[in-house]
Amino acid sequence: MDILTFLLAVRLIGLAIVRIAMIPLAVAFEFRERRRAQRGDTGLLPSHPAWSPRVSVVVPAYNEERVIGGCLRSILDCGYPNLEVIAVDDGSKDRTLALLLRFARGERRLHVLRQDNAGKGAALNRGIEYATGEILMLVDADGQFGPDTIPEMLRAFTDDRVAAVCGSDRPVNLDRVQTRFLAVISHVGTGLVRRALHMLGCLPVVSGNVGAFRRSALLAVAVDGMGPLRTDTLGEDLELTWRLHRAGYRVAFAPHAVVHAESPSTLHGLWKQRVRWARGLLQSLWLHRDMIGRPRFGVFGMWLAYTVLAMVWLPITQVVGTIALPIAWGAGLWSPPASLMAAFLGSGVALTAVFLIVAVALDRTPQDLRHSWTLPLWPVYSVLMSATLIKGLAQELTRAPNQWNKLDRTGVVSHALSSPPHAPPSPSSQEFAPGVARSFAHPGLVGDRVHA
């Protein structure tokens, strides 16, 4: 066996071992959760019958007129009694602010804030500062809540050391081949892998789409001069989660706290989003480089070492190999045994199928298998995602400006939710008193609460 074939085999076998190890951990998580449900154990609620904490949902919004109405309605209609919603308009240039004001009329649970455009992290910090809840949920403006989203989140706060809970974010816009493909593979990344990492105590991210935090923990780890969310990184949700691990808190996964949100509907949008994620990962690794591989940070420190290998080094080698191996084969410099390559291919397909079936079973979403015809896109998608890491690394090395590159929303809702969100009609400028319109043009009111 030549050296190139040997290295390829080591890479594939190593990844297979790690992935196979995820399956029993994820299944163990599900068995444990089912036993808790059979005992009637709902986290802190049995031991604290009066524990129905005030939940503040913070929704940052920048040019979200297509989706903000559905998001707010789904939250306000979710049925949780002790709720407040804080919507922060981050200097939108469309009708987002007008829609927020329309919703705020007669809705005492909704508070609208406005600030000059400063980015998502700054908008979240502004909302957190204003919030009064013991539990803070940070969600994107395209999120669609169901009736169980908040109760399932709260159920995962099993003890005082659990500072944050990550829910399950699933695509809502299943109108294109790309979004249907993402809907299928999301069960592996969010459903199976997050269960396994929860069991290991090293869940690395509380998704910006659906995350809940103890207010006390956020204040305890706040960054001087910024707040709980950093404003100098593109991966503010990832970096915050790592900061909580550094402080010794636990991070939990709530697989049935589902928020449906838009997936990128175009290849260009997917590329921009994943380049941003790649830069956020690299920035977080640099900020927390002293944790990588350090035993004093427990399993999480070891997981960060694996992250460097699997999410930085291996993507680079994948892109290089995708280019170099065909050239080497065409030039006669590399000739792997056909039987060996067939074995690798066959085992990879079989492992992917097992992974997908287990993940869908754990998430109890067999209906999503109807999109499995899109799975031949997976090898191309894998190489593309590795290329985004190289692009993000190049931007970091050249110190390119941080650009959020927010997705262009479509407003497509393919799921029939339990409480269908219906946005109110888009308000016209005549529906607002002239004094209100003038007050928002006044720079002295920027950052203050809006009274509709």
Side-chain angles (χ1 to χ4, degrees), residues 174-183 265 371 373-374 377:
L174 303 180
D175 60 328
R176 306 190 184 194
V177 173
Q178 178 172 297
T179 56
R180 292 175 182 181
F181 167 72
L182 294 173
S265 57
H371 305 305
W373 56 271
T374 64
L377 295 174

Side-chain angles (χ1 to χ4, degrees), residues 12 19 341-357 375-376 378-379:
L12 294 176
R19 290 172 179 172
M341 297 308 295
F344 284 156
L345 179 61
S347 60
V349 170
L351 182 59
T352 298
V354 170
F355 239 61
L356 181 60
I357 292 171
L375 290 178
W378 209 332

Side-chain angles (χ1 to χ4, degrees), residues 268-351:
H268 181 62
L270 179 65
W271 173 264
K272 291 197 303 180
Q273 182 194 66
R274 301 309 165 89
V275 170
R276 172 167 54 82
W277 288 6
R279 288 196 70 185
L281 170 66
L282 294 169
Q283 290 168 353
S284 296
L285 284 169
W286 179 255
L287 289 168
H288 296 279
R289 57 192 180 278
D290 62 315
M291 296 176 64
I292 300 173
R294 297 293 181 86
R296 70 186 182 95
F297 294 107
V299 178
F300 188 72
M302 299 299 103
W303 178 257
L304 288 184
Y306 172 79
T307 297
V308 173
L309 174 65
M311 300 185 71
V312 179
W313 175 247
L314 285 183
I316 294 174
T317 63
Q318 182 180 22
V319 173
V320 172
T322 301
I323 298 172
L325 291 181
I327 295 175
W329 179 78
L333 301 176
W334 178 56
S335 181
S339 59
L340 183 62
M341 297 308 295
F344 284 156
L345 179 61
S347 60
V349 170
L351 182 59

